Amino acid sequence: MERRDVIGDAAIAVLAAEGMRGLTHRAVDRAAGLPAGSTSYYARTRAALLELTIARIVFLDQASPSPGGDLAEFIAGYAHEAITSGRTRMLARYEFALEATRRPELRAVYDEGGLLIRRQAAAALAAAGSADPSRHARVVVDWMEGTIFGALAGTGSLAPPTLESLVTSAREILAGIGVG
């Protein structure tokens, strides 16, 4: 694994555990088990550290395993992965989402990742026969984002949804938009 990836992964873990205020070069060095100053070599400023971290989050989103099966199973699998093994990454993403509302320089980088996911969803929905893939992608992605947020940070965290319940809900969402 490249050193930048190790730093990015450590930054995600720090961000998820300690929030935006806890994300420092020193904290990332400690979390990564690297000598002091290592993170500063790759990301000289706080802005550079934030950009490196969000870039790593977007990369990991793309590298997440693709569940097999039909579209509903794929959508549910993505949400389930985000709630379980992707929990740390998603918590870090929520920290970024809030920070991006206050810092325009992060907004563009954050939005790029979100638009990529929406474009991929639109392509999958178009292939499945959607009459309006862009609009339907927004519906599906918004459902996924709300479900994931609720399971990680909302009252849904008391009893996160199972993969089976997510598949059922995804089938209902797809049927509601006339796909699947």
Side-chain angles (χ1 to χ4, degrees), residues 13-178:
V14 168
L15 189 56
E18 300 179 34
M20 197 57 76
R21 296 184 104 190
L23 183 65
T24 65
H25 288 79
R26 285 187 181 146
V28 174
D29 286 341
R30 278 192 304 274
L34 296 172
S38 297
T39 298
S40 292
Y41 178 81
Y42 289 92
R44 296 243 180 250
T45 65
R46 179 163 176 78
L49 178 58
L50 292 171
E51 287 182 26
L52 182 149
T53 307
I54 193 66
R56 184 67 177 159
I57 289 171
V58 170
F59 173 80
L60 291 172
D61 282 347
Q62 299 308 304
S64 292
S66 298
D70 64 14
L71 186 56
E73 291 169 351
F74 176 80
I75 291 166
Y78 182 91
H80 190 258
E81 186 274 335
I83 292 167
T84 56
S85 62
R87 182 181 199 287
T88 299
R89 183 180 78 249
M90 295 308 297
L91 290 173
R93 174 187 298 287
Y94 296 140
E95 290 286 339
F96 262 104
L98 292 172
E99 189 68 14
T101 65
R102 297 179 287 273
R103 299 189 52 187
E105 70 274 15
L106 291 180
R107 180 88 259 163
V109 176
Y110 180 81
D111 285 348
E112 268 181 50
L115 290 173
L116 180 61
I117 290 169
R118 288 184 192 274
R119 282 193 295 271
Q120 290 173 336
L125 289 164
S130 168
D132 191 347
S134 294
R135 187 171 60 80
H136 291 158
R138 184 176 185 135
V139 170
V140 170
V141 171
D142 286 352
W143 169 79
M144 287 178 19
E145 287 179 347
T147 298
I148 294 165
F149 183 86
L152 295 180
T155 57
S157 65
L158 299 173
T162 64
L163 178 58
E164 294 76 22
S165 68
L166 290 168
V167 170
T168 299
S169 295
R171 287 194 200 294
E172 292 167 347
I173 294 291
L174 291 174
I177 61 174

